[in-house]
């Protein structure tokens, strides 16, 4: 990482800080709340100077030691209802797999690892609901067979890009914004 604190931070700079934070969480140096708070700041940092305080009290991590867990994640539901909400760390590529059940994922308070994430839906005889931040830009590249895919319109401001992919058969996939659009219970 460049040492000029006034330079704009790059995605690579943010990813390096995220790797240090993830290693600190894995080794018990940070609690899950501290990790989520620092990761949130890291991915919204504008300058290199904004990133420095986040790892000042942590040891460096070499590129080969960087954890890959933040890159991929699978959340599945079979014959049940699974809800993920609140403050949690999402992955760059999250696969949502639902079979004869319901899967409800709330990204509005989640820590998103970067400006673009991919949510792959694989739904069979199920309902998948994804709540996104109000300022997110959503691109639906998925397919449906005897089902429905619905993306609620919203602002396409400076928020994250969420790319929705995958296929649904005999299922409903809904992407929504705002707390009043659906119930998490």
């Amino acid at each position: 990482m460049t040492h000029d604190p006034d330079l704009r931070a790059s995605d690579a700079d943010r990813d390096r800080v995220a790797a240090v934070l993830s290693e600190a969480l894995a080794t018990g140096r940070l609690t899950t709340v501290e990790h989520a708070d620092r990761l949130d700041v890291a991915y919204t940092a504008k300058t290199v100077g904004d990133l420095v305080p986040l790892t000042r009290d942590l040891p460096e991590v070499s590129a080969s030691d960087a954890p890959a867990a933040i890159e991929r994640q699978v959340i599945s539901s079979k014959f049940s209802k699974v809800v993920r909400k609140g403050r949690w760390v999402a992955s760059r590529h999250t696969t949502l797999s639902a079979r004869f059940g319901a899967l409800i994922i709330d990204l509005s308070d989640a820590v998103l690892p970067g400006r673009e994430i991919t949510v792959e839906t694989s739904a069979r005889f199920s309902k998948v609901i994804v709540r996104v931040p109000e300022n997110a830009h959503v691109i639906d590249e998925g397919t449906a067979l005897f089902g429905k895919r619905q993306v609620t319109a919203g602002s396409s401001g400076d928020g994250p890009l969420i790319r929705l992919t995958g296929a649904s058969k005999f299922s409903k996939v809904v992407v929504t914004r705002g707390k009043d659009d659906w119930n998490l219970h």
Side-chain angles (χ1 to χ4, degrees), residues 72-151:
R72 293 198 162 272
Q73 178 175 180
V74 176
I75 303 171
S76 64
S77 167
K78 291 180 183 169
F79 296 100
S80 26
K81 179 179 182 180
V82 174
V83 178
R84 173 86 47 102
K85 65 179 182 173
R87 192 152 171 86
W88 60 285
V89 180
S91 298
R92 287 190 188 278
H93 187 100
T94 300
T95 300
L96 306 179
S97 176
R99 302 290 183 268
F100 299 97
L103 195 50
I104 302 171
I105 304 300
D106 187 349
L107 295 171
S108 61
D109 293 325
V111 177
L112 302 179
R115 303 293 299 159
E116 180 177 339
I117 67 168
T118 300
V119 177
E120 179 182 352
T121 60
S122 174
R124 305 292 183 269
F125 304 98
S126 299
K127 183 174 187 177
V128 175
I129 300 173
V130 181
R131 182 170 162 219
V132 299
E134 193 66 41
N135 64 347
H137 179 66
V138 179
I139 298 173
D140 185 5
E141 299 173 339
T143 61
L145 177 66
F146 296 109
K148 179 178 183 178
R149 292 180 76 89
Q150 175 183 332
V151 177

Side-chain angles (χ1 to χ4, degrees), residues 1-10 13-14 17 41-42 44-56:
M1 186 164 28
T2 311
H3 296 290
D4 183 352
D6 295 328
L7 284 179
R8 298 288 288 195
S10 69
D13 294 331
R14 292 181 193 92
V17 169
V41 172
T44 57
K46 301 283 187 216
T47 67
V48 172
D50 295 337
L51 295 172
V52 172
L54 301 175
T55 59
R56 185 174 284 139

